[in-house]
Amino acid sequence: MEELLKNNGFEASEIAEQLQILRNNVSKELNELLRLDKIIKIKGRPVKFLHKSSVEKILNVEIKERFIEVDNVRDFIFNRENEEPFKHLIGAEKSLKNQVEQAKAAIIYPPEGLHTLIFGQTGVGKTLFAKMMYNYGKYIKRFTEKSPFIIFNCADYYNNPQLLLSHIFGHIKGAFTGADHEKEGLVEKAHGGILFLDEIHRLPPEGQEMLFYFMDTGTYNKLGETERKRKANVLIVGATTEDPNSYMLKTFMRRIPIIISIPTLQERTVEEKIDIIKYLFVNEAHRVNKKIKISTEVVKALIGSVSYGNIGQLKSNIQLTCAKGFLSSINSSKECIELDFKILSSDIKNGLFEMGRNSREFEEIGNILDAPLLVSPDGYKVIIEDSDEEPPFNLYKLIEDKVSLLKEERMDDNDINKFIITDLNINLKIFYNKFNKNKENRNRILKIIDKEILDFAEKMKDLAEIDLGRKYSERFVYALSFHLSAFFKRIKDKSYDNKEYMYHSIQDNDEEYKVALKITAMMSQMFRVEVPEIEVTYIAILLKSVEEETQKQVGIIVAAHGSSTASSMVSVVQDLLGDVSSICAVDMPLHVNPKEILEIIIDNVKSIDKGKGVLLLVDMGSLFNFEATIVEKTGIKVKTIDMVSTPLVLEASRKSSIFNMELEDIYNSLRDFKGYNNEFNKENKCSDQVIITVCTSGKGTAVKLKELVGNIITNLTEKNIDIIPVEIRELDKKVASLQKKYDVLAVVGVKKPKENIPFIPLEKLIDGNGEKILREIIAGNQFIVLPEKSSIVIKELCEDNLKQFLTYLNPHKIIGILLKFVEELERELQADFDNAMKIKIIVHVGYALERIIINDGLTCVADKDPIAIQIIRAVDHTCEIFKRALNISLTDDEKYYICKMLAETSV
């Protein structure tokens, strides 16, 4: 092996020379060995090879790689020696994180580890997980190189308990008819290692008793022996697809301290499902020694096709698909096997329709894998399609093939319509989000689309908004622009087929159809081209599909026992607040199993989460325990409040839908909510209300914070609320003292009090959320809330900063102009700056105005970085405000630095 490491492997020419055969024949045999997974190929010049099993023996691990791109094989080997086996397990840091920690604990626990039961459905990978445990044991030196890993399936001898026990424990001569010699059992063979008993629930009761006695004492007897004198050091790992408590003896289960539950494929994250598919396709590419190109629709269909069988079934489906693709490629000149939707079997095709019912997962797959997957024997990558022929968003491509295939599956028009609308909307959203990463949208799109087409699409957006009475975003403009571009290309290439993919699921009396008629008429007039009738349907589908992005809100789930308890509370809230989309009810009839309710709640959490988490309102404390499980299975942030009531649901909905508060803020403000009467008529409640400000000292900064909060309150209500500054080290003592005299509404500052009082951190006051929370507190205490004005925090902080540095300009006089400048800049750029950005712009421009007055403006000595024309025009236009109001004109260099600041923050 040292010679192998020294030379970094062997060349084909070296083997040919030693065996005295032709090099071409050696190369041919090496390629065959590579295909059979017997050797490892080291890329480089010259190409070298390693004997795979020898390397695996040295490393004590299983190597998946067939190709290595390293300069030194020794580096590869030493790196692999230091890698933990679980690191290569898909999901080890996500859906399997808890299971991996359990497995490690089972192996590490002194003195000899803990016996373990792995529970999971067929095909989830229980045997693989057990092998990972064994490899981890070798990795941490718990097992030696010679430690065995024995696998036995108890179902093989289920109908013959005597033979089953003979296999596990062995037998002596004459133990039963036909036992003409003594036999070694699996327990004896597994000494010093792991005995993996698959389908362990098939063990008969007497076998379980013998096994748990062995686990207790480390001793056993062979079949036919009366005394247990034999000893073995074996870690038992069992696996079962059945509920252990239903099939196993309770006395046996007490001996199993660790039960590891492996999630189903459906419970794995979308990213993990795609990684599993990639891995399985790489295996198939190895087998056929060819590249495989897989369309995104095939990936979606494969994921959706697995309703049972899990990873095992997915593997079978992939092998079937690859076999059909391989057969089709035999007579083809193409270098790779191409798998598209047409090649799938009908069962797998149905998976796409199943996937379409879960729009969230459908969209996630598109975000992760928005282009075909190219798999080769040495790995995989996402390939970018050639964009010379088709634009990046193509309505024809999204609709035509799918409609044809759906009709072949004899799906009715109504179901086709729903599927196409959902699919189109998701694909459009994915395309827009990727295209819209940079705010220089118009300039980017003009590199692909003619200006005339883009201008026309913008006019059609205005027309649709007026006629349909709804708001369309830039998404519609982009989609229509790209569709028109594809349409004109088809007309020019004379490749337009008006009959082949006729799709008329949009009714002629639909309002979208009528608007589409207008748009196609204007297309014909504007571009002097005959527009086929089918285009009306395409554009009507586009009008129907494009949905406006909803504002992200905290989702609310109300779960209560009873046939309609939760629904009744949610219904009241909907009647009072209107159609609140961020809330749903889960009714829990008493006869329903809690496990079923948990699954229902998990599904609702997945569907209602919009990116800000979910608040779970429950009626009994037992449901409180669901929170940790929900977070673990979904990865979504969840907070739970029990003792739900209609007022509590109403308050939560107001704070989420109206005030758009964060999950943590809603949770903190409602933890002790007991209804409106309790809130407003507390026993011994003081008539005077105060807000406490706290900083590192009771003076200076805290006093300034008092002024700031006071100005915010004045901006919010005419009610007199005192602001009391306190020192941080006296906070809890002061709060307790003040609560005896006043009704303390909130604490604002740098430290949260121990008392259960609404707390607003200083950073939230600066970023704008603090003002929203104060407004909510004031509204919740039945004060009159004044109409919302511009942020006092921004005005106060900026004016205070400018006072320290401006000499000639009066900060109090120019702050209004600077605020107007920012508002106008937001309109020009169609942006929404956060408070930090607004403060940064105002202070910078305030200093710039002062520099111009004293003829000390900034000059750019280095080469200027390129700036988007959109930003330059916006700054130029907005700076006219200063010329009109102050008769001050910023220089081009000063404007450049403003543009640069905006560009660096991706405006």
Side-chain angles (χ1 to χ4, degrees), residues 475-491:
R475 263 202 288 163
F476 176 76
V477 175
Y478 293 172
L480 183 58
S481 297
F482 283 118
H483 174 63
L484 292 176
S485 180
F487 166 71
F488 292 131
K489 186 178 189 306
R490 286 194 170 193
I491 294 294

Side-chain angles (χ1 to χ4, degrees), residues 12 39 112 198 218 256 324 329 343 347 598 720 801:
I39 59 176
E112 306 294 345
D198 201 5
I256 305 288
K324 293 179 72 174
S329 69
I343 206 169
D347 289 343
L598 175 60
N720 183 38
N801 187 293

Side-chain angles (χ1 to χ4, degrees), residues 400-668:
E400 290 175 350
D401 289 344
K402 289 192 182 75
V403 171
S404 176
L405 291 165
L406 293 173
K407 283 186 176 293
E408 287 177 12
E409 295 298 315
R410 297 183 180 179
M411 185 179 285
D412 63 54
D413 283 348
N414 188 46
D415 287 339
I416 292 176
N417 184 33
K418 288 179 182 177
F419 183 85
I420 292 295
I421 295 292
T422 302
D423 182 58
L424 181 57
N425 186 54
I426 290 171
N427 277 284
L428 180 55
K429 188 186 295 185
I430 292 167
F431 155 73
Y432 178 76
N433 289 340
K434 290 184 179 294
F435 191 83
N436 200 42
K437 284 180 180 178
N438 190 312
K439 297 293 182 179
E440 303 168 38
N441 299 329
R442 189 176 178 84
N443 292 314
R444 294 181 68 219
I445 201 171
L446 285 173
K447 294 178 180 178
I448 308 169
I449 303 296
D450 291 339
K451 184 177 183 299
E452 192 177 21
I453 293 176
L454 182 58
D455 290 342
F456 178 79
E458 288 173 339
K459 290 177 182 177
M460 294 307 98
K461 169 181 170 287
D462 295 338
L463 170 69
E465 287 180 338
I466 294 170
D467 285 11
L468 296 174
R470 68 181 68 147
K471 194 75 176 171
Y472 284 101
S473 68
E474 283 183 324
R475 263 202 288 163
F476 176 76
V477 175
Y478 293 172
L480 183 58
S481 297
F482 283 118
H483 174 63
L484 292 176
S485 180
F487 166 71
F488 292 131
K489 186 178 189 306
R490 286 194 170 193
I491 294 294
K492 180 182 177 182
D493 296 343
K494 297 181 180 180
S495 60
Y496 199 105
D497 188 344
N498 190 27
K499 296 180 179 180
E500 187 176 351
Y501 295 107
M502 293 295 283
Y503 176 51
H504 292 296
S505 63
I506 301 293
Q507 300 300 315
D508 292 357
N509 58 354
D510 282 359
E511 54 184 357
E512 290 88 1
Y513 189 87
K514 295 174 183 177
V515 174
L517 276 171
K518 286 187 180 181
I519 292 175
T520 52
M522 296 177 73
M523 282 170 58
S524 180
Q525 182 181 359
M526 173 80 180
F527 299 103
R528 296 183 179 84
V529 64
E530 183 179 346
V531 181
E533 182 183 352
I534 188 62
E535 282 299 318
V536 181
T537 300
Y538 284 136
I539 294 174
I541 292 171
L542 193 58
L543 288 165
K544 192 179 278 282
S545 300
V546 181
E547 300 172 355
E548 279 295 287
E549 282 286 351
T550 55
Q551 185 182 34
K552 288 185 178 180
Q553 297 175 349
V554 171
I556 298 170
I557 295 177
V558 182
H561 291 86
S563 299
S564 61
T565 309
S567 296
S568 297
M569 285 188 277
V570 170
S571 178
V572 171
V573 171
Q574 298 282 18
D575 289 341
L576 292 173
L577 298 182
D579 186 18
V580 181
S581 61
S582 58
I583 186 171
C584 71
V586 176
D587 294 311
M588 300 185 295
L590 295 176
H591 65 273
V592 178
N593 189 303
K595 188 175 180 181
E596 294 179 33
I597 295 297
L598 175 60
E599 294 302 320
I600 293 170
I601 292 175
I602 286 174
D603 288 341
N604 278 276
V605 166
K606 290 178 180 178
S607 63
I608 205 168
D609 175 55
K610 304 299 180 187
K612 294 184 73 171
V614 175
L615 181 68
L616 182 59
L617 304 177
V618 301
D619 64 343
M620 294 187 190
S622 60
L623 296 173
F624 200 88
N625 300 322
F626 282 176
E627 182 180 305
T629 305
I630 294 170
V631 173
E632 180 184 334
K633 287 183 175 291
T634 64
I636 297 169
K637 190 173 182 181
V638 175
K639 286 289 185 181
T640 308
I641 298 177
D642 60 359
M643 302 301 288
V644 65
S645 62
T646 302
L648 180 65
V649 179
L650 182 61
E651 272 301 288
S653 299
R654 283 194 334 116
K655 293 173 188 294
S656 171
S657 61
I658 298 176
F659 296 101
N660 198 27
M661 291 171 63
E662 300 297 319
L663 176 61
E664 200 71 35
D665 297 328
I666 298 175
Y667 171 74
N668 289 332

Side-chain angles (χ1 to χ4, degrees), residues 689-695 702 705-706 709-710 713 721-728 730-740 742-753 755 757-761 765 774:
Q689 286 83 28
V690 300
I691 291 176
I692 296 173
T693 59
V694 55
C695 276
L705 184 58
K706 172 187 174 179
V709 175
I713 297 302
I721 300 174
D722 287 335
I723 315 296
I724 301 177
V726 302
E727 191 175 348
I728 190 170
E730 297 181 353
L731 175 62
D732 294 318
K733 182 179 176 182
K734 261 301 194 188
V735 167
S737 174
L738 289 169
Q739 280 187 309
K740 296 176 182 178
Y742 307 102
D743 177 21
V744 181
L745 300 179
V747 174
V748 182
V750 295
K751 182 182 178 183
K752 184 178 181 179
E755 295 290 337
I757 299 170
F759 172 64
I760 303 172
L765 201 67
L774 280 173

Side-chain angles (χ1 to χ4, degrees), residues 164-347:
L164 176 63
L165 295 176
S166 170
H167 271 283
I168 294 176
F169 295 104
H171 64 258
I172 61 172
K173 184 177 180 180
F176 51 86
T177 303
D180 52 1
H181 64 277
E182 186 171 341
K183 180 184 176 182
E184 182 183 35
L186 296 177
V187 168
E188 190 175 349
K189 290 180 180 179
H191 176 67
I194 288 178
L195 173 58
F196 177 64
L197 299 175
D198 201 5
E199 302 289 349
I200 195 172
H201 62 277
R202 297 295 187 95
L203 275 179
E206 58 268 29
Q208 294 183 41
E209 289 173 355
M210 291 178 69
L211 195 59
F212 76 63
Y213 185 89
F214 169 69
M215 289 190 286
D216 278 347
T217 65
T219 63
Y220 68 99
N221 61 289
K222 291 186 177 183
L223 207 63
E225 292 179 334
T226 56
E227 295 185 15
R228 295 186 175 97
K229 293 182 178 180
R230 300 178 184 272
K231 291 185 178 181
N233 176 19
V234 178
L235 188 65
I236 302 295
V237 177
T240 179
T241 57
E242 305 296 335
D243 182 359
N245 295 316
S246 300
Y247 285 82
M248 308 297 291
L249 296 175
K250 291 182 179 179
T251 48
F252 180 82
M253 290 305 298
R254 285 205 299 269
R255 271 74 176 184
I256 305 288
I258 290 185
I259 299 178
I260 299 174
S261 180
I262 307 295
T264 63
L265 183 65
Q266 285 77 12
E267 293 172 316
R268 304 288 286 267
T269 67
V270 171
E271 188 175 1
E272 288 171 10
K273 291 176 185 176
I274 292 175
D275 285 342
I276 291 168
I277 282 180
K278 289 175 179 176
Y279 171 75
L280 294 174
F281 268 118
V282 168
N283 285 345
E284 296 309 308
H286 285 159
R287 293 177 68 176
V288 298
N289 199 28
K290 290 187 77 173
K291 293 180 180 179
I292 306 173
K293 180 182 174 184
I294 310 106
S295 75
T296 55
E297 305 314 59
V298 169
V299 174
K300 292 173 184 175
L302 285 166
I303 292 175
S305 68
V306 182
S307 56
Y308 63 91
N310 296 289
I311 298 173
Q313 182 61 42
L314 179 63
K315 180 179 179 181
S316 297
N317 289 351
I318 286 176
Q319 287 178 338
L320 171 63
T321 304
C322 288
K324 293 179 72 174
F326 181 74
L327 187 63
S328 301
S329 69
I330 291 176
N331 297 322
S332 172
S333 59
K334 294 182 178 179
E335 294 183 358
C336 71
I337 300 170
E338 295 191 3
L339 304 180
D340 58 19
F341 192 74
K342 295 177 183 178
I343 206 169
L344 299 177
S345 66
S346 57
D347 289 343

Side-chain angles (χ1 to χ4, degrees), residues 361-377:
E361 188 167 7
F362 202 87
E363 183 177 344
E364 280 189 68
I365 293 171
N367 283 323
I368 296 171
L369 198 67
D370 65 336
L373 189 67
L374 183 63
V375 173
S376 63

